[in-house]
Amino acid sequence: AFAYVRPHDLDVERYAPGAAVGADGRPRGIVAQLARAIVVGPIARLELVPCADTQPSGNMGPDPIIEAQIPAEQYKAMGFQEGETLVVTPRRARVFVENATQ
C-alpha cells in the first residue's frame, strides 16, 4: 500500500526526543531534517529529508524529499532553521492498495 499526502495536509513541529512516538509507543510522525525553506507570499514551502535512523522499516518511495507547506507566519513564529530536525505528521492521507479490486 502507498499513502499520499498533499503538502498542505502536513503538520510540522520542532523535534524533541520522544516527540515522534505516541503514548502507545507507536510512531506518530516522520522525523526529518529541514533541507530548505522558501517563503513565497503567505506560504512557506519546506523541503525535508527523512532521518533514516529514526524511521520504521519501509519504503519512502523513489524521492526521499518530503514537501510541506505551512503559513509563512507560522514558519516565522516557530523560528525553524535549515538543518534543524522536525517532526512531520499527516493530517489527511489517501491510501492506495496495490492490486486491489475496485
Side-chain angles (χ1 to χ4, degrees):
F2 288 92
Y4 291 94
V5 180
R6 293 180 179 184
H8 59 272
D9 283 333
L10 291 169
D11 285 328
V12 182
E13 59 188 59
R14 188 164 273 111
Y15 173 78
V21 179
D24 59 0
R26 295 177 56 189
R28 71 165 192 86
I30 299 171
V31 178
Q33 185 175 40
L34 179 58
R36 184 164 70 166
I38 303 165
V39 179
V40 179
I43 302 293
R45 297 179 184 186
L46 310 179
E47 293 181 2
L48 302 128
V49 178
C51 298
D53 58 334
T54 61
Q55 301 310 314
S57 61
N59 183 3
M60 288 295 294
D63 186 4
I65 299 291
I66 298 171
E67 295 179 16
Q69 293 179 358
I70 60 174
E73 288 300 319
Q74 178 186 354
Y75 173 76
K76 291 175 188 172
M78 296 295 287
F80 294 144
Q81 300 290 320
E82 291 182 3
E84 187 172 6
T85 303
L86 306 173
V87 177
V88 182
T89 308
R91 285 191 301 269
R92 193 168 42 183
R94 295 233 10 205
V95 178
F96 299 90
V97 179
E98 287 187 51
N99 300 324
T101 57
Q102 296 186 11

